[in-house]
Amino acid sequence: MDSIIKENFSNSKNSSELTLKVLYAHKSVYNDNWNSGIHFHPFTEVYFILNGRGKFTIEDEIIDVEKDDFIIINSNIGHTEYPEKGVNTFEYISFGIEGISISSNTNKLDLVENNYLKKSTTNYEISFRRFFENILREFEANEDYSLSYINSLATILMIYVLRKYDSEIIISHEKKVNRQIDYIKNYMDNNYSEDIKLEDLANMAYMNKFHLISEFKIAYRVTPIEYLILKRIDVTKNLLITTNHSMEEISSLVGFNSQSYFNQVFKKKVGITPSQYRRNHRLQRGF
């Protein structure tokens, strides 16, 4: 069975090599149509907060972010981002990097369970804002040698971070080659409302359920059923904001057989009940 293959870089200052490939660059600005749900990417994402205050939900954790914060989120980690309640300004630049992840062997960094790194760049010697703005400008311009320039800027930026934290950060290559696990994820994305059982997923992947759990966690850091629940919660949030369906209707639409279990799971994952979530977001939008 194929799996994620990792090759750690040497921490020797003389022998280390790092060359990054940037897949995209994008600027996001908060507006009334903002609707970022929980999503997963097969690449590492890097963010810089330009203005305002907001929150990132990363797996089951919610972190506060503000102007000049720098965030790295590893591949296949469920996350979403949104402005702080009552804040009218929230904007950031992000870009995706192919084939690497970050991890830490110490407790000195804000790197939780090797899922993400968050730091304020207020007192850094270089301007992260200028690096991100230049990466975005070059990506949108798409001129001769733009991609080479973008990759060089991203590499220089990451080398600065690695040198600043020295041996506390490990950079790894990742190559995702498990197609069965991708198939299972895509199946759940498209059929989350069905009564999906672990045994059914294992049969689809031609694995026993314990092997499926192990392989899925390697790829996405959660079990298949945990991923299914995250997907259902994501769809639920959108339905709570954009429709007038009752809680019973929504719980059925997203695949929960019991409304009480639906309420219990939603509160555990989001921190508030579905009714509170609907009320808070409609008040925020002026409904």
Side-chain angles (χ1 to χ4, degrees):
M1 176 58 62
D2 293 329
S3 62
I4 291 179
I5 303 170
K6 293 187 177 181
E7 178 186 355
N8 286 343
F9 285 97
S10 168
N11 284 322
S12 168
K13 294 180 179 179
N14 294 324
S15 62
S16 296
E17 293 186 6
L18 179 65
T19 302
L20 302 181
K21 181 179 180 181
V22 175
L23 302 176
Y24 82 93
H26 179 70
K27 181 178 179 180
S28 297
V29 180
Y30 169 72
N31 56 48
D32 291 338
N33 296 320
W34 185 285
N35 186 23
S36 177
I38 295 175
H39 49 280
F40 296 75
H41 301 292
F43 49 80
T44 294
E45 282 195 303
V46 187
Y47 296 81
F48 181 77
I49 310 301
L50 296 169
N51 290 298
R53 300 191 312 276
K55 294 182 182 294
F56 275 53
T57 298
I58 304 175
E59 300 288 285
D60 292 336
E61 184 178 4
I62 299 176
I63 64 170
D64 295 316
V65 297
E66 60 183 2
K67 181 180 177 182
D68 294 331
D69 278 353
F70 169 69
I71 305 102
I72 304 175
I73 301 178
N74 276 336
S75 63
N76 298 319
I77 297 296
H79 63 281
T80 186
E81 52 282 339
Y82 48 94
E84 181 86 25
K85 184 178 179 182
V87 172
N88 295 322
T89 301
F90 183 56
E91 49 187 309
Y92 59 80
I93 294 175
S94 60
F95 61 85
I97 306 174
E98 182 180 62
I100 71 162
S101 66
I102 58 171
S103 59
S104 173
N105 290 327
T106 76
N107 294 320
K108 297 179 182 178
L109 293 177
D110 301 328
L111 206 165
V112 179
E113 294 182 355
N114 298 332
N115 288 343
Y116 71 91
L117 169 70
K118 176 202 144 185
K119 285 292 180 182
S120 172
T121 66
T122 304
N123 298 318
Y124 282 12
E125 297 85 355
I126 65 173
S127 172
F128 270 56
R129 174 184 287 266
R130 187 171 298 119
F131 269 89
F132 275 79
E133 288 177 340
N134 286 338
I135 288 172
L136 177 64
R137 187 180 301 112
E138 283 293 323
F139 190 86
E140 292 178 341
N142 194 27
E143 297 176 347
D144 292 343
Y145 310 111
S146 280
L147 290 179
S148 295
Y149 186 38
I150 291 167
N151 293 338
S152 297
L153 288 173
T155 301
I156 292 169
L157 190 66
M158 190 60 69
I159 287 173
Y160 174 83
V161 173
L162 290 171
R163 285 180 172 178
K164 188 170 183 66
Y165 298 109
D166 198 26
S167 60
E168 296 174 13
I169 288 181
I170 297 172
I171 293 286
S172 301
H173 275 309
E174 287 190 348
K175 294 182 181 179
K176 188 170 174 237
V177 291
N178 195 323
R179 294 181 180 178
Q180 290 96 324
I181 298 304
D182 270 353
Y183 174 79
I184 294 302
K185 173 189 173 296
N186 290 334
Y187 177 83
M188 289 190 287
D189 284 341
N190 294 319
N191 299 278
Y192 57 84
S193 62
E194 302 297 325
D195 183 18
I196 298 175
K197 295 182 172 58
L198 181 61
E199 291 76 9
D200 299 329
L201 299 175
N203 289 335
M204 291 179 194
Y206 299 97
M207 301 178 183
N208 67 56
K209 60 183 180 181
F210 302 106
H211 190 189
L212 173 61
I213 290 172
S214 176
E215 291 291 320
F216 201 94
K217 287 189 73 173
I218 289 173
Y220 294 103
R221 273 80 169 184
V222 292
T223 69
I225 299 305
E226 287 169 341
Y227 177 86
L228 178 61
I229 289 173
L230 286 172
K231 178 65 181 180
R232 287 171 171 171
I233 294 297
D234 182 25
V235 177
T236 294
K237 288 178 177 179
N238 185 55
L239 290 173
L240 288 169
I241 295 172
T242 61
T243 75
N244 290 316
H245 295 324
S246 68
M247 297 304 158
E248 183 178 2
E249 288 173 323
I250 291 177
S251 65
S252 177
L253 284 171
V254 299
F256 288 101
N257 294 325
S258 163
Q259 186 183 342
S260 61
Y261 179 63
F262 162 70
N263 290 333
Q264 176 187 340
V265 170
F266 189 95
K267 186 173 183 180
K268 180 179 179 181
K269 295 294 183 184
V270 182
I272 55 177
T273 66
S275 298
Q276 289 171 324
Y277 184 89
R278 169 177 274 174
R279 183 165 58 251
N280 290 349
H281 282 73
R282 290 194 167 184
L283 285 173
Q284 184 174 333
R285 294 182 174 211
F287 294 160

